[in-house]
Amino acid sequence: MLDVTVIENPEAAAASLDPMRARLLAELAEPMSATALAARVGLPRQKVNYHLRALERHGLVELVGERRKGNMTERLMRATAASYVISPLALASVQPDPDRHRDALSARWLLALAARLVRDVGALITGAARADKRLATFALDGEVRFASAADRAAFIEELTAGVGALVRKYHDAESEGGRGHRVVIAVHPSLKAEPEAAAEPERDVPGEIES
């Protein structure tokens, strides 16, 4: 079972978003028969089998074993991943386009960049899996508490300058054997345990630096 996988097919996305099928996926973190699953979720076994066939057809669950029970053979099914992320490719005609309107201080541009990140990395994971190759990526996650809006603005200014200097230092447009890499850096307020009703104004949310 994978830790996380990206759903790119619209039909598979629709199947995963069905409330009952989503619950079945959660229950199938461990192998289970349709009979045991039916008892867990309170549905007839035939109905559970119907949902499992749809999920299996889209690669969201898989057969991991069989066992005899009386005069019948039970199929043991398991989810193919612990978690699923739906790629914007599943809504190809309306997927966000961060190149349409670039605004480093817009939360919506940040969201469009995040959507493209999911789309691109998902496609790269799929390609790497088919080629049986390791995908070279790097991610950094952290949190900083600013004493004031002025400190946050100063941080963004230094971050922009620092990343820009690194890009200028290492970017080689002439290298024949080189491969382009996308750099995306995001800064946004941390979510509170109980979010306040009023959100912070969008223009106050620092966006991203992209090269």
Side-chain angles (χ1 to χ4, degrees):
M1 174 189 284
L2 299 172
D3 179 55
V4 61
T5 193
V6 179
I7 299 173
E8 299 175 330
N9 180 273
E11 289 77 17
S16 70
L17 290 172
D18 177 89
M20 179 50 67
R21 291 175 183 175
R23 183 178 174 187
L24 295 180
L25 288 174
E27 296 288 350
L28 287 173
E30 299 295 334
M32 198 176 304
S33 68
T35 300
L37 197 54
R40 184 76 64 88
V41 301
L43 283 181
R45 180 174 58 83
Q46 293 83 353
K47 190 68 173 178
V48 168
N49 271 325
Y50 168 78
H51 288 307
L52 288 177
R53 283 194 296 271
L55 292 171
E56 186 177 15
R57 185 166 60 251
H58 294 300
L60 301 177
V61 301
E62 60 187 352
L63 177 68
V64 295
E66 294 181 333
R67 66 186 179 193
R68 293 291 298 177
K69 189 172 183 180
N71 61 352
M72 62 178 292
T73 300
E74 284 191 330
R75 304 174 79 231
L76 298 177
M77 308 299 294
R78 185 181 65 184
T80 54
S83 301
Y84 298 87
V85 175
I86 296 178
S87 169
L89 285 176
L91 294 170
S93 60
V94 291
Q95 64 178 304
D97 180 7
D99 293 327
R100 186 181 301 129
H101 178 65
R102 301 172 66 90
D103 183 352
L105 297 181
S106 168
R108 289 179 174 80
W109 190 60
L110 169 56
L111 190 62
L113 282 173
R116 184 175 65 187
L117 182 65
V118 170
R119 182 199 68 191
D120 291 355
V121 175
L124 288 168
I125 288 173
T126 300
R130 288 173 179 167
D132 195 24
K133 291 184 177 180
R134 183 177 180 274
L135 180 61
T137 62
F138 170 77
L140 181 65
D141 180 40
E143 187 169 343
V144 56
R145 183 180 181 88
F146 298 112
S148 65
D151 283 352
R152 183 177 59 188
F155 174 86
I156 295 300
E157 185 176 350
E158 289 187 40
L159 184 64
T160 303
V163 173
L166 283 172
V167 170
R168 289 190 296 272
K169 178 179 179 180
Y170 289 101
H171 178 60
D172 187 348
E174 308 300 326
S175 175
E176 293 184 2
R179 179 174 182 178
H181 285 67
R182 184 173 296 281
V183 179
V184 179
I185 299 174
V187 178
H188 64 81
S190 302
L191 287 176
K192 299 179 180 179
E194 297 182 4
E196 297 175 356
E200 187 176 358
E202 180 181 289
R203 295 295 304 185
D204 258 351
V205 182
E208 303 201 358
I209 305 150
E210 180 185 2
S211 67

